Amino acid sequence: MEVRIMNCGEIRDFIIEYNGRIEGAGIKPEITAEINSHLVSCRKCALARERMLDMSAKIASDKVEIPANLASSIISKVIPAAEPAKPKIKTVGPTEISFIDKIAELFGISSRNFAFAMSAVVLAALAISLILYNHGLKSGGEAERIADSKGVTQQENIVKEPADKKFKKIENELSKNMTAANNEEIEKKFKRSIFTVESGAVANLTGEYRENELYQVKHGEDLVITYKKVAEVIIKTDSKFKVNDEGIILESGMVSVDLKPKSLPGFSVTTPESVVEVVGTIFSVASSNNKTEVIVKKGCVKVTDIKTKNFSLVNAGESKTVSRQDEVKSETAPVVIEYGSNAVHEAAKTLHANTQASTSEVSHTAETGTVPVGIDGANIKDVINKFKNENITIDK
Amino acid sequence: MECNGINDIEVIEKVKEGNSAEFEKIITKYSKMIYSIAYRLLRDGEEARDLSQDVFLRAFRFISKYNPEFKLSTWLVRIAYNLYKDRFKTKKLHIVHQISHGDDEENKKYEERFIDNSPRPDEKVENKMKSEQIINIINRLPANYKMVITLYFWGDHSYEEIADIMEIPVGTVKSRLKRAKNYLLENYSRLLEKWK
């Protein structure tokens, strides 16, 4: 029988696999004997084995000094900062459709479906009244009676005023009921969820609160939320957004984020064009017209083009524009406001200058009359007050 | 699953039920292990502490996603590995060296950067320097090779556990380990030749 003898390469494989420790490594005795025999005759392999043994010993001797208070410091930072992810359970609470319930109670209707239909009828009637009123097809009888009884000649005013007030009263009450109920409901659900509304108002576009539900910030107001207790997020008026466990999905509008460093790994703002991931920072994201503009005030974010999957890091003082036409531009921030007394004025000047220089890059901000704001410092409440409702006039 | 008098599954169940304080036991039990791995990957005490903290923060937040089929230590190290990869990418620490043979240009660059050309030190100092140089060589490995080496030499993990942690087949673990060790031996040998 022919006995095959291992070559140097095969011997080295054994040396490397067993870190030079051939004896006692569980290798078959005949193979061990062959390796030993080879090592006696081959200086190179013997040297390789010696070095492998030496290197392994040196690696094994590497010791790590554990900080004395390691566990306690981690506990102090982890336990209060985090909330375990709760199972997603859809609940239908008693306050879910309070307006319909009220209608049902008013008319003594037990069936909610019928009450819903009744509500629709009432709302439709109000809508028709409004349309008729606006087209001047109002009844003159009552107006004349009121005019006669008060003896006033300015008929139009007398007729219009009570009708206006009456309609407005009904409209206000209805909207109050609906808004109050909705707001209360949304607020309660937000508080149970991964974010809390600090100030401002949000309109729920499709009904109840759910993860990934689309919301729109009420016109004329900014929405301030605390996300997972560690990030303060300002969502500008009229912005459309969703919130989920990874962060915020911005359909349109603008978001400004102030995040404690390293507090929320993986937090991101997603727009139709890009994903902006936080490395620990203060930044703003504006999305409109198939374009996303990211401005970093402090720290660093990772911006990933959703279509091409290309990503880049945007540092403090830089901005990045991602458009759906695959145009990725990076340049010095066109508008970054330092928080200070002349911030808005300076921003307007900067915006004006940049509008002249590159209209396309600031078109969104120019259209809406606002500028992306980086928020500096710990006193975010003051900044929020500054940030809210600041309309910048652009000199034409 | 039971170690240091703590049953991981029981503790995790309690945490899932809302008893956050129970998570302290997990941190107390595994923080040293995670820190050691983090330190060996990052070679910076502060960074290692931050990474360890992030590991437990993420574990606590996603405790409901823990699969009891795996050891808790495996799951925690997997989180550490993923966070490390993220940081690795972020800091652009990607290694330009390929684990290959005979790339003279790369070897020259390596020697210029890492091999000390000063006179041969005495034996005691020499041993220390050799250890440091080996650590330097390990530090220059790409993230996935470095992780394999770290878990193999210092983590006391089996091939199967390393495969679970890195979510790769056992065969890939073995081949990466072999290539990484080969690379270390080659560079260590080159360093010794230089010092002769």
Side-chain angles (χ1 to χ4, degrees):
Chain A
M1 192 178 86
E2 193 183 337
V3 179
R4 190 182 161 275
I5 296 173
M6 285 192 281
N7 60 28
C8 284
E10 289 165 315
I11 297 289
R12 297 273 176 95
D13 283 348
F14 275 102
I15 289 170
I16 284 172
E17 185 172 352
Y18 294 98
N19 303 322
R21 287 187 296 271
I22 306 301
E23 271 88 14
I27 308 170
K28 285 180 185 173
E30 59 270 25
I31 295 174
T32 306
E34 191 187 340
I35 294 169
N36 283 333
S37 161
H38 182 97
L39 292 174
V40 169
S41 60
C42 179
R43 197 182 156 275
K44 277 190 175 178
C45 288
L47 193 62
R49 183 203 178 192
E50 191 187 307
R51 283 172 176 171
M52 192 71 206
L53 279 167
D54 181 37
M55 191 181 76
S56 302
K58 282 188 168 53
I59 292 173
S61 69
D62 178 59
K63 298 276 178 269
V64 174
E65 201 178 313
I66 308 288
N69 59 346
L70 177 71
S72 55
S73 73
I74 293 175
I75 288 167
S76 68
K77 283 171 184 166
V78 170
I79 305 291
E83 287 284 337
K86 292 188 175 70
K88 291 160 192 168
I89 301 166
K90 187 187 170 188
T91 54
V92 180
T95 57
E96 196 103 321
I97 313 172
S98 57
F99 173 69
I100 292 171
D101 288 342
K102 277 181 185 173
I103 293 284
E105 196 182 317
L106 188 70
F107 290 97
I109 302 160
S110 57
S111 162
R112 292 180 90 239
N113 284 342
F114 187 67
F116 183 80
M118 284 292 290
S119 309
V121 169
V122 170
L123 288 172
L126 283 169
I128 290 166
S129 306
L130 181 64
I131 292 164
L132 290 174
Y133 178 80
N134 284 341
H135 282 80
L137 297 172
K138 56 195 173 290
S139 163
E142 190 183 354
E144 280 167 17
R145 274 201 302 279
I146 293 165
D148 285 346
S149 66
K150 295 202 173 181
V152 181
T153 52
Q154 292 174 326
Q155 265 195 14
E156 191 61 26
N157 287 342
I158 296 160
V159 171
K160 211 170 185 178
E161 199 176 301
D164 250 344
K165 278 185 181 170
K166 195 178 175 186
F167 176 74
K168 276 183 182 166
K169 199 179 171 189
I170 295 166
E171 189 190 34
N172 286 343
E173 277 182 4
L174 279 171
S175 72
K176 246 188 222 169
N177 282 342
M178 290 178 77
T179 314
N182 273 345
N183 282 351
E184 192 185 345
E185 179 197 332
I186 290 166
E187 198 179 327
K188 277 182 185 174
K189 289 183 176 185
F190 280 173
K191 277 179 182 168
R192 282 206 300 270
S193 73
I194 49 180
F195 68 95
T196 311
V197 175
E198 299 292 339
S199 67
V202 61
N204 186 334
L205 297 184
T206 52
E208 63 178 301
Y209 169 76
R210 279 197 298 267
E211 195 174 81
N212 284 323
E213 192 79 350
L214 186 64
Y215 294 95
Q216 182 165 28
V217 181
K218 272 196 174 173
H219 183 68
E221 289 187 53
D222 294 334
L223 180 72
V224 182
I225 62 170
T226 307
Y227 183 87
K228 291 187 177 178
K229 297 183 181 172
V230 290
E232 297 218 59
V233 182
I234 304 169
I235 308 172
K236 286 292 282 180
T237 178
D238 298 329
S239 296
K240 290 182 182 175
F241 68 99
K242 297 174 183 176
V243 179
N244 62 23
D245 209 47
E246 275 73 48
I248 290 165
I249 298 165
L250 185 66
E251 297 280 322
S252 66
M254 200 184 126
V255 165
S256 204
V257 179
D258 183 26
L259 183 67
K260 290 177 192 169
K262 295 169 187 168
S263 58
L264 209 56
F267 176 85
S268 64
V269 176
T270 305
T271 67
E273 295 83 29
S274 64
V275 180
V276 184
E277 284 174 76
V278 162
V279 183
T281 197
I282 299 173
F283 68 99
S284 62
V285 181
S287 175
S288 68
N289 303 329
N290 298 334
K291 188 180 75 174
T292 296
E293 186 177 27
V294 182
I295 297 176
V296 180
K297 172 73 179 68
K298 193 175 175 183
C300 180
V301 297
K302 177 184 166 188
V303 181
T304 306
D305 189 317
I306 283 177
K307 199 171 177 185
T308 63
K309 306 290 178 205
N310 290 333
F311 70 87
S312 56
L313 295 174
V314 185
N315 292 303
E318 292 177 350
S319 74
K320 183 165 224 41
T321 306
V322 180
S323 71
R324 213 171 256 173
Q325 286 75 43
D326 294 332
E327 290 167 9
V328 180
K329 294 182 220 166
S330 185
E331 63 280 306
T332 306
V335 183
V336 175
I337 303 177
E338 291 292 338
Y339 177 56
S341 56
N342 294 323
V344 175
H345 180 64
E346 288 303 315
K349 283 201 292 188
T350 316
L351 181 62
H352 176 54
N354 281 293
T355 307
Q356 286 178 326
S358 174
T359 312
S360 62
E361 281 164 20
V362 289
S363 57
H364 170 64
T365 52
E367 278 168 18
T368 55
T370 59
V371 291
V373 181
I375 293 159
D376 202 325
N379 193 359
I380 197 161
K381 297 288 174 203
D382 289 346
V383 184
I384 287 163
N385 292 334
K386 272 269 173 195
F387 183 70
K388 282 168 73 173
N389 304 321
E390 283 175 350
N391 293 321
I392 312 297
T393 309
I394 314 293
D395 296 327
K396 300 279 179 186
Chain B
M1 279 292 185
E2 193 158 344
C3 180
N4 298 344
I6 301 167
N7 184 310
D8 292 344
I9 302 292
E10 279 178 17
V11 172
I12 286 168
E13 283 308 313
K14 284 179 186 169
V15 176
K16 280 182 183 174
E17 285 163 13
N19 190 349
S20 304
E22 285 291 311
F23 197 74
E24 288 182 24
K25 291 177 183 170
I26 304 281
I27 296 174
T28 307
K29 184 174 165 182
Y30 291 108
S31 56
K32 285 180 184 172
M33 180 198 73
I34 294 295
Y35 179 86
S36 299
I37 291 171
Y39 182 84
R40 279 171 170 132
L41 292 169
L42 298 160
R43 293 284 159 188
D44 181 292
E46 274 304 301
E47 290 265 323
R49 190 191 277 260
D50 283 352
L51 190 114
S52 309
Q53 187 185 308
D54 289 349
V55 168
F56 289 104
L57 197 67
R58 191 171 279 199
F60 184 58
R61 191 167 286 146
F62 297 104
I63 196 84
S64 58
K65 293 182 181 176
Y66 168 64
N67 180 357
E69 281 177 23
F70 296 101
K71 283 162 72 175
L72 182 62
S73 59
T74 302
W75 186 59
L76 292 172
V77 177
R78 186 189 292 170
I79 294 172
Y81 174 56
N82 289 330
L83 288 171
Y84 165 67
K85 275 196 299 186
D86 291 347
R87 288 181 188 216
F88 202 84
K89 280 179 199 163
T90 308
K91 290 192 169 184
K92 295 184 178 175
L93 290 174
H94 274 303
I95 300 305
V96 288
H97 287 273
Q98 294 293 316
I99 296 191
S100 59
H101 302 279
D103 188 337
D104 290 341
E105 189 61 31
E106 287 301 312
N107 289 338
K108 198 178 166 191
K109 276 186 201 166
Y110 169 81
E111 281 167 15
E112 280 169 5
R113 187 167 171 187
F114 280 103
I115 295 178
D116 190 349
N117 289 316
S118 57
R120 197 172 186 275
D122 66 49
E123 200 176 331
K124 204 174 174 184
V125 178
E126 186 186 320
N127 269 331
K128 198 183 169 205
M129 284 179 73
K130 278 180 187 172
S131 298
E132 284 170 3
Q133 292 290 356
I134 292 169
I135 299 302
N136 274 340
I137 298 166
I138 293 173
N139 281 343
R140 291 186 54 77
L141 285 169
N144 47 9
Y145 287 89
K146 194 170 167 184
M147 189 67 185
V148 169
I149 286 287
T150 301
L151 295 176
Y152 174 78
F153 278 113
W154 296 303
D156 200 24
H157 293 280
S158 66
Y159 289 136
E160 287 74 18
E161 284 171 343
I162 297 174
D164 285 340
I165 288 164
M166 299 181 71
E167 296 176 282
I168 52 175
V170 174
T172 310
V173 172
K174 287 180 179 173
S175 62
R176 277 187 193 171
L177 195 55
K178 188 182 167 188
R179 277 201 291 272
K181 285 204 277 185
N182 209 12
Y183 175 82
L184 295 181
L185 182 61
E186 265 187 29
N187 284 284
Y188 183 55
S189 299
R190 194 173 292 126
L191 183 142
L192 294 178
E193 293 295 327
K194 202 86 181 173
W195 275 357
K196 265 185 182 175

